Amino acid sequence: MNYQLRLPESLTTSNWSGGTTTQLYIFPEHASYAASDFLVRISTATVTTETSLFTSLPGIKRFLLILDGVLTIEHTGRYQKQLQKFDSDTFLGDWETKGVGKVVDFNVMTSNKVSTQTVAIQLAAQEIFKTSIPSSIDTLLWYIYKGNIQITIDTVTIHIPTGAVFIINPENQSSNITIHSLEETELIQTAILYSSVE
């Protein structure tokens, strides 16, 4: 098993037509969002305009989860729905999509060869949360949106502050995980499976 901690100051934030976006993870590492040659890209976005149009991304599956605010998402000719904190929507990148509302969101973009599962986890101050990482997962990512935690993997303990990203590659080894929240914490967990990648 190997892991890496990406502190907030090491992450790249850029502007887009509706606000700003911060890239948390991209695979392969040499891929880029502009070239659309990634298998998976995970980011956060701050939407500062009341109405925003989503970039067309043919061949990409999108997952969007609200971290703060309320967004009405409309897929032209398909459906629309209102998303509040920790609500999510999954849709295809080539759909014509519009958002109404100023929000902070968490985005997962994948090719058809990758499967992911994302959940939001809320922890009270000093709460202990125990879980395990199955060997079947290729990558597990945690993003600390609010608060901060100490995470213990087997016998190693690491502090993860607000805005940081922690990435684990089990490498066919299952491990026990203990998360200790040092204050009220909101974190987002995404499990990634590349088994269908040739």
Side-chain angles (χ1 to χ4, degrees):
M1 171 178 294
N2 65 67
Y3 51 84
Q4 58 177 299
L5 173 63
R6 297 180 180 175
L7 296 175
E9 55 268 27
S10 70
L11 304 174
T12 300
T13 298
S14 56
N15 295 319
W16 64 289
S17 61
T20 62
T21 181
T22 300
Q23 181 170 287
L24 307 179
Y25 177 80
I26 195 165
F27 182 85
E29 291 184 9
H30 58 75
S32 73
Y33 172 69
S36 294
D37 58 352
F38 55 87
L39 292 176
V40 58
R41 180 181 187 264
I42 299 175
S43 63
T44 60
T46 299
V47 182
T48 57
T49 59
E50 187 61 30
T51 301
S52 55
L53 297 177
F54 285 62
T55 302
S56 179
L57 296 169
I60 297 297
K61 184 177 180 180
R62 302 192 61 168
F63 171 89
L64 182 145
L65 180 143
I66 302 300
L67 297 175
D68 264 316
V70 178
L71 181 75
T72 298
I73 191 166
E74 178 182 340
H75 306 293
T76 303
R78 301 176 188 276
Y79 65 89
Q80 76 171 41
K81 63 180 179 179
Q82 188 181 81
L83 304 176
Q84 302 188 40
K85 187 177 181 69
F86 295 149
D87 288 341
S88 63
D89 189 31
T90 301
F91 53 99
L92 298 182
D94 60 358
W95 289 5
E96 184 178 327
T97 299
K98 178 178 72 174
V100 178
K102 298 179 180 180
V103 297
V104 180
D105 57 45
F106 182 89
N107 304 275
V108 181
M109 304 177 182
T110 59
S111 78
N112 294 328
K113 298 179 179 180
V114 178
S115 60
T116 64
Q117 184 176 34
T118 297
V119 295
I121 300 172
Q122 295 178 279
L123 301 173
Q126 304 304 320
E127 182 174 349
I128 302 296
F129 176 78
K130 295 188 176 183
T131 186
S132 60
I133 302 176
S135 59
S136 59
I137 296 298
D138 293 310
T139 300
L140 191 65
L141 179 146
W142 279 299
Y143 169 63
I144 311 302
Y145 178 56
K146 292 182 179 178
N148 66 101
I149 63 173
Q150 283 185 338
I151 183 169
T152 301
I153 306 173
D154 297 328
T155 60
V156 178
T157 299
I158 301 159
H159 176 241
I160 310 176
T162 302
V165 180
F166 190 67
I167 301 164
I168 302 173
N169 299 111
E171 296 182 326
N172 299 317
Q173 298 177 22
S174 58
S175 291
N176 295 318
I177 302 290
T178 300
I179 296 175
H180 176 201
S181 59
L182 303 180
E183 56 184 314
E184 287 189 10
T185 297
E186 297 175 0
L187 63 93
I188 310 300
Q189 174 185 289
T190 298
I192 306 171
L193 183 63
Y194 298 107
S195 63
S196 57
V197 177
E198 295 179 356

